[in-house]
Amino acid sequence: MTADLATATRNLDRNGFLDIDVDPTLDLEAEIQRLKKEKNAIVLAHYYQESEIQDVADYIGDSLGLSQKAAETDADIIVFAGVHFMAETAKMLSPTKKVLLPDLKAGCSLADSCPPHIFRKFKEKYPDHTVVSYINCTAELKTLTDICCTSTNALAIIESIPKDQPIIFAPDKNLGKYLVKKTGRDMVLWNGACMVHEIFSHERIVKLKNRHPNAKFIAHPECEPHILEMADFIGSTTGLLNFTKRDDATEYIVATESGILHQMQLASPHKSFIPAPPNNNCACNDCPHMKRNTMEKLYLCMEYEQPEIILPEWVIKEGVKSIDRMLEISEKAGLGLKKD
Ligand code: 13P
Ligand code: SF4
């Protein structure tokens, strides 16, 4: 562990976070609440964050809700408890605000699977196509994108594009295949995938379903097609959470990152939620990127206001168009944020 701020700041690029000792007796929740007030900061957390981070957040949501919240907040500082592409999206939507990410190395295998310089060449082969990119991509990829989408609004985005207009869909081939099946449109798919959603074991899920005959199997559309075929319900994290609230079953096998189980359990304490098993011996479906954030790193980044997300001006200017387009279509489709 590093002791002083100057050394930790110098090592930020290498470590991804401020490697400073935190007094173990400190009440981190109270400290984070104090820093929020003192600095007029808002903490936005994705459902895949550790439960204690979710509990201290001002807003917990899926990728669409988080970007809508980042666009409308009047806080001076946005602290993003999520992964790098989410914090970049917040920065593009609120370029004058300071956007902090507790650990810069909290990346995303999907975003990594689509390097912009290679995608640019790929796109040149399809000059007449509209590019729809899943928001899980880098800021630079967004500059090569016509419209972004999230798993909540992907169907509405595809359906907003005239039927005779060809589409490239990047970077998630599994979400892409799901959309091809739902819309009947033949899209050109980039060959990317999420490391967490690709790992579910068909065989172990079948066995689990046999042991829990009354459990419903629910899955995120980033899962592979043979997993989605078994699902009683498919949806984004918010979609899955809402389904478990309104549905009358009392047991669910959940095929997505395990962080979502915290909100499911809070909303329906009388129901039970079983994480779907992956195809290795590990019992968890944790996203190693999401789980790089900890309460200590969250506290340190708020205290010292780093690591900060900095983007070139041209990336913000060009990239935000695809996000704005997505937010407009979502609003029209009635997928806006519910006002408190
Ligand atoms: P949503 O929360 O938008 O469904 O996204 C899931 C995800 O993989 C985020 O990284
Ligand atoms: Fe990326 Fe998958 Fe992790 Fe989401 S769960 S941040 S898509 S690697």
Side-chain angles (χ1 to χ4, degrees):
M1 272 285 185
T2 312
D4 66 282
L5 178 62
T7 315
T9 303
R10 265 199 310 279
N11 291 339
L12 200 54
D13 282 350
R14 196 188 64 211
N15 292 330
F17 62 98
L18 283 176
D19 192 5
I20 298 176
D21 284 330
V22 176
D23 175 357
T25 64
L26 209 60
D27 180 344
L28 291 176
E29 195 190 323
E31 286 299 306
I32 290 166
Q33 299 296 5
R34 171 184 66 79
L35 288 164
K36 279 200 247 180
K37 278 203 199 94
E38 273 178 27
K39 301 189 180 216
N40 187 27
I42 185 173
V43 176
L44 306 182
H46 188 267
Y47 288 126
Y48 294 165
Q49 291 294 289
E50 296 287 2
S51 48
E52 46 183 356
I53 294 184
Q54 294 188 32
D55 293 346
V56 85
D58 297 291
Y59 176 81
I60 317 155
D62 66 1
S63 304
L64 177 62
L66 288 164
S67 46
Q68 287 166 329
K69 205 73 190 171
E72 69 165 39
T73 182
D74 52 16
D76 295 317
I77 299 180
I78 299 173
V79 189
F80 219 109
V83 290
H84 200 271
F85 76 82
M86 295 178 170
E88 282 182 334
T89 303
K91 183 68 187 173
M92 287 191 275
L93 287 164
S94 292
T96 59
K97 295 188 196 305
K98 190 174 261 189
V99 177
L100 304 173
L101 181 66
D103 188 328
L104 286 178
K105 289 197 175 171
C108 169
S109 66
L110 253 176
D112 291 346
S113 72
C114 196
H117 66 286
I118 303 179
F119 184 76
R120 188 187 296 275
K121 291 217 170 71
F122 174 80
K123 182 182 156 166
E124 276 165 15
K125 289 196 278 181
Y126 306 97
D128 307 333
H129 286 51
T130 294
V131 177
V132 178
S133 296
Y134 193 32
I135 200 158
N136 302 32
C137 64
T138 61
E140 202 180 328
L141 201 91
K142 290 181 175 78
T143 68
L144 302 169
T145 296
D146 296 300
I147 318 173
C148 276
C149 75
T150 73
S151 44
T152 292
N153 60 23
L155 207 55
I157 301 290
I158 300 298
E159 281 170 350
S160 75
I161 300 168
K163 284 210 160 44
D164 55 351
Q165 173 59 42
I167 298 171
I168 299 176
F169 187 83
D172 188 4
K173 65 174 176 202
N174 292 322
L175 177 60
K177 284 180 195 166
Y178 171 71
L179 292 167
V180 166
K181 196 171 165 196
K182 286 294 269 188
T183 61
R185 294 177 72 144
D186 183 22
M187 304 191 289
V188 175
L189 304 181
W190 180 265
N191 187 18
C194 159
M195 62 191 285
V196 178
H197 290 87
E198 259 205 332
I199 208 172
F200 293 113
S201 160
H202 188 274
E203 193 188 324
R204 293 180 70 194
I205 293 169
V206 171
K207 283 188 185 152
L208 195 60
K209 274 162 72 87
N210 287 341
R211 286 209 305 277
H212 298 267
N214 297 323
K216 284 200 177 150
F217 176 60
I218 59 175
H220 194 281
E222 285 176 27
C223 294
E224 293 177 307
H226 67 290
I227 301 292
L228 295 180
E229 263 164 36
M230 287 191 282
D232 296 300
F233 180 78
I234 298 167
S236 64
T237 49
T238 301
L240 296 175
L241 174 62
N242 289 343
F243 177 76
T244 61
K245 287 182 195 169
R246 66 172 184 263
D247 185 59
D248 53 12
T250 54
E251 209 178 12
Y252 300 86
I253 299 167
V254 185
T256 192
E257 214 270 358
S258 58
I260 186 72
L261 267 61
H262 179 54
Q263 292 304 320
M264 288 177 173
Q265 201 67 75
L266 283 177
S268 308
H270 57 292
K271 298 188 178 187
S272 57
F273 301 95
I274 311 165
N279 59 17
N280 57 23
N281 289 327
C282 166
C284 57
N285 315 316
D286 285 350
C287 170
H289 304 291
M290 288 279 181
K291 296 313 200 261
R292 280 187 72 96
N293 294 326
T294 60
M295 286 290 275
E296 284 77 10
K297 290 179 188 172
L298 179 59
Y299 159 72
L300 286 169
C301 94
M302 292 179 74
E303 173 76 13
Y304 299 110
E305 300 186 19
Q306 47 178 326
E308 185 184 352
I309 298 290
I310 309 282
L311 288 172
E313 232 169 85
W314 75 268
V315 170
I316 295 181
K317 195 165 162 272
E318 289 307 308
V320 78
K321 293 178 195 165
S322 59
I323 309 171
D324 283 340
R325 191 84 196 90
M326 170 188 89
L327 293 178
E328 271 165 38
I329 297 169
S330 302
E331 192 76 27
K332 271 193 206 135
L335 297 169
L337 269 189
K338 284 197 193 88
K339 300 285 172 216
D340 305 324

